Amino acid sequence: MKNGSIHISKDIFEKYEAVIGLEVHVQLSTVTKAFSSDSARYGSRPNNNISPVSLALPGALPVTNKEIIRSAVKLGLALGCNIIKENYFDRKNYFYADLPKGYQITQDNQPVCLGGRLKITLSDGKEKDVILNRIHMEEDAGKSIHDLDDVYSLIDLNRAGIPLLEVVSEPVLQSGEEAAVYFSELRKLVRYLGICDGNLEEGSMRCDANISVRLKGEQQLGKRCEVKNLNSVKNLQKAIDYEILRQISVIEAGGVIEQNTLNFDAATGLTSPLRTKEMANDYRYFPEPDLLPLVITEDYISAVKKSMPALPNELFELFTTEFQLPEYDAKVLTSERETAEYFLSTVKYTKNYKAASNWIMGTIRSYLNDKGINFDEFTVDSEQIAAIINLIDEGSLNNSQAKETLFVYLTKYPQKSVCELILELNLSIDKDNTQLEEYVDSVLSIFADKVKQYHNGKKGVLGLFMGEIMKVSKGKIDPKQANKILLEKIDRLK
């Protein structure tokens, strides 16, 4: 086994097991910050979204943004957590240049959610329940910038006070792959719930990974190291895989793992110490005196539950049972909320569920990829796609022309109806079998030698015949009907 500059034999690697827990910070898509009316918008000019509350000026008092409570309850319900009815905020004290108050408002002893689980499916098809410890609400710190000046570090406090949910798993993950799949599934879930945009490039989700190793069969946990601020699935997996090998190599060499906070360098694939790992008592937690305890009622929880959309696992079950789609289709369609919603909207107008799935996964997805846009930017109404599917099923429209011509024009003129465009483009199929038979006769007479080959067992020439029939008819035929007439006529020529 190897990673970066570390090489370990497979036999040595398999003596150990990794124990991994993740702390995922989910940045909430609220309009304002967690405890002030400052804008939470990403991309503003540095230090533009600040106020006396963000800067912790004397006399400025925080007020809880009710949307962070709603988001926390949503996520807790989706993950099967126990929603804590009475909870409060705490102060976590530490001193960084980008933390203007000198403390972070967070939750320690009484978080909003306890327990819960998230099911993941690994690449080999195995399923695993990732058990959660808690979800708590907190605010983000500002941002230190070290590469814009040769002498000074710069501070941008726009992010200070941005609302976060921290989702803390139990130490039940055992590999970089498991952690990456879990992180991806959690990202999909918060995007479905509409509480986070999941934009990893903007830091909307970041992850700290607590990693230790021990000999298989051991009960006692090894010394753990925490790799901070991983904000991509790829880097999360790479950092964990490297750190597992690093710790094994240290132990095998007779060394001792030091409990450090680590940085991961994506360019080199290596971890390096940032500082000694802090313990809980280093933060001197105590209840936040400027915020009242929160009381969450059953009525509030019920109202939030009713407002929640169908979740990916529920839709997967619906798509594979009621709509009889293959598991592969259901997995692709539920990968994003917008894709699933577009499919559900399409099948309101057509009963050909598989065709709807094929159009979304094939023609439409290819178009979106080519244009570099998402489903929420797609301008063709789902009812239009359903109309195309129904016309093909009725034999009134050719499948290839629908995809190659009609769909292209529909993306350019989405305000026009399918029927309008079919008339304008002269795409309607000629259902006059007399004309179709003439096309077939013409092709068979031109390729008389191929007819003999067909009768001698070379059945592949049927594709040639159909291709030529499509050419002479300019695609304005029903391929099924054409194939039927072709087989009848070719058999008569024996």
Side-chain angles (χ1 to χ4, degrees):
M1 308 290 296
K2 66 178 181 178
N3 189 324
S5 60
I6 297 178
H7 301 260
I8 294 176
S9 71
K10 187 177 181 182
D11 289 342
I12 291 176
F13 180 80
E14 290 183 348
K15 285 168 48 182
Y16 293 85
E17 66 179 3
V19 180
I20 304 160
L22 297 189
E23 300 168 8
V24 180
H25 297 85
V26 178
Q27 182 175 304
L28 299 179
S29 300
T30 55
V31 175
T32 57
K33 293 184 180 180
F35 303 106
S36 74
S37 59
D38 301 346
S39 171
R41 188 166 67 90
Y42 178 84
S44 298
R45 293 179 61 191
N47 296 306
N48 201 54
N49 300 339
I50 57 175
S51 71
V53 179
S54 293
L55 299 176
L57 298 182
L61 294 174
V63 177
T64 304
N65 184 339
K66 64 182 180 181
E67 283 303 312
I68 71 172
I69 304 166
R70 184 177 182 82
S71 296
V73 172
K74 270 188 178 182
L75 185 56
L77 289 170
L79 291 169
C81 302
N82 178 25
I83 310 297
I84 304 303
K85 304 296 193 304
E86 296 183 12
N87 53 97
Y88 54 84
F89 289 102
D90 298 283
R91 287 188 182 182
K92 179 181 180 180
N93 298 272
Y94 60 98
F95 297 95
Y96 288 166
D98 55 17
L99 191 69
K101 292 195 289 285
Y103 62 85
Q104 176 192 36
I105 299 178
T106 182
Q107 292 185 299
D108 180 35
N109 288 326
Q110 198 81 340
V112 65
C113 302
L114 287 173
R117 65 188 62 215
L118 179 61
K119 179 171 285 187
I120 62 173
T121 304
L122 303 173
S123 59
D124 60 3
K126 290 181 181 176
E127 293 184 340
K128 178 170 185 168
D129 278 339
V130 179
I131 309 302
L132 304 181
N133 176 280
R134 60 191 278 155
I135 301 172
H136 61 261
M137 300 177 283
E138 63 183 23
E139 61 178 344
D140 208 347
K143 182 180 180 181
S144 297
I145 305 166
H146 307 293
D147 56 0
L148 294 183
D149 191 280
D150 295 334
V151 179
Y152 299 103
S153 288
L154 307 179
I155 303 295
D156 180 7
L157 294 177
N158 279 347
R159 204 172 68 187
I162 292 290
L164 303 174
L165 294 181
E166 183 170 334
V167 184
V168 182
S169 80
E170 294 288 359
V172 293
L173 299 163
Q174 295 183 298
S175 69
E177 184 202 357
E178 287 188 7
V181 173
Y182 164 72
F183 186 77
S184 297
E185 283 298 310
L186 186 58
R187 177 176 180 265
K188 180 166 74 173
L189 182 60
V190 297
R191 284 166 57 86
Y192 258 84
L193 293 171
I195 63 174
C196 173
D197 62 20
N199 193 326
L200 303 182
E201 293 79 10
E202 296 178 0
S204 296
M205 287 183 70
R206 307 189 299 277
C207 181
D208 301 336
N210 292 284
I211 307 155
S212 65
V213 298
R214 64 185 176 189
L215 289 169
K216 288 182 178 176
E218 286 279 344
Q219 295 301 310
Q220 186 173 347
L221 294 172
K223 285 278 184 73
R224 66 187 170 94
C225 292
E226 182 181 30
V227 186
K228 297 288 286 185
N229 289 326
L230 298 162
N231 68 342
S232 82
V233 177
K234 182 180 178 181
N235 287 343
L236 173 63
Q237 182 163 352
K238 285 173 65 178
I240 289 174
D241 288 343
Y242 173 80
E243 183 59 19
I244 290 170
L245 290 180
R246 186 192 72 83
Q247 292 188 23
I248 292 173
S249 69
V250 169
I251 295 169
E252 284 291 313
V256 176
I257 301 300
E258 295 183 5
Q259 190 160 314
N260 289 329
T261 297
L262 306 175
N263 177 61
F264 175 70
D265 187 331
T268 63
L270 309 179
T271 59
S272 58
L274 279 172
R275 57 185 180 272
T276 303
K277 176 78 177 102
E278 296 93 342
M279 305 301 288
N281 57 4
D282 293 327
Y283 293 120
R284 296 179 296 114
Y285 286 101
F286 64 85
E288 167 57 63
D290 292 332
L291 290 168
L292 292 171
L294 295 172
V295 178
I296 301 173
T297 65
E298 281 293 346
D299 287 345
Y300 181 85
I301 294 171
S302 297
V304 171
K305 191 171 186 178
K306 287 178 183 176
S307 72
M308 289 169 59
L311 299 179
N313 58 331
E314 298 167 344
L315 291 175
F316 184 90
E317 182 71 18
L318 174 69
F319 293 173
T320 54
T321 54
E322 183 173 332
F323 297 139
Q324 295 291 298
L325 293 178
E327 288 191 1
Y328 174 80
D329 291 41
K331 185 176 180 181
V332 173
L333 292 172
T334 58
S335 61
E336 294 178 344
R337 177 177 171 179
E338 294 81 6
T339 308
E341 288 179 342
Y342 196 90
F343 173 78
L344 288 170
S345 179
T346 304
V347 297
K348 287 179 182 178
Y349 307 102
T350 180
K351 298 303 179 185
N352 192 336
Y353 309 129
K354 181 59 176 144
S357 174
N358 290 344
W359 268 85
I360 290 170
M361 295 193 304
T363 306
I364 296 175
R365 178 57 65 188
S366 294
Y367 172 80
L368 298 180
N369 291 341
D370 288 343
K371 297 295 181 182
I373 61 175
N374 298 316
F375 248 108
D376 54 4
E377 301 169 273
F378 186 48
T379 55
V380 178
D381 191 88
S382 58
E383 190 172 355
Q384 298 274 64
I385 300 299
I388 293 174
I389 293 169
N390 292 335
L391 288 169
I392 293 171
D393 289 345
E394 293 167 8
S396 301
L397 183 63
N398 181 283
N399 187 60
S400 60
Q401 286 198 323
K403 292 180 177 179
E404 295 166 13
T405 304
L406 178 59
F407 178 76
V408 173
Y409 274 84
L410 197 55
T411 58
K412 293 177 181 177
Y413 308 102
Q415 74 281 3
K416 292 191 175 184
S417 72
V418 166
C419 292
E420 258 186 290
L421 285 172
I422 287 174
L423 288 173
E424 285 182 24
L425 300 169
N426 195 24
L427 296 178
S428 58
I429 284 178
D430 186 352
K431 293 190 176 183
D432 181 1
N433 281 351
T434 304
Q435 181 65 64
L436 180 52
E437 288 182 12
E438 288 179 8
Y439 293 145
V440 174
D441 289 337
S442 172
V443 169
L444 291 178
S445 65
I446 294 171
F447 295 96
D449 57 328
K450 301 295 183 183
V451 173
K452 290 179 181 178
Q453 290 179 16
Y454 173 83
H455 290 144
N456 289 331
K458 196 173 181 180
K459 305 299 182 184
V461 295
L462 280 177
L464 168 68
F465 295 143
M466 282 300 299
E468 292 299 319
I469 293 167
M470 293 297 287
K471 282 182 186 178
V472 297
S473 66
K474 297 182 180 178
K476 296 170 61 177
I477 58 167
D478 180 356
K480 292 180 182 178
Q481 185 65 15
N483 191 63
K484 179 183 176 184
I485 293 173
L486 172 63
L487 289 173
E488 290 174 353
K489 286 187 172 287
I490 203 170
D491 282 340
R492 292 192 206 124
L493 294 174
K494 280 186 180 179

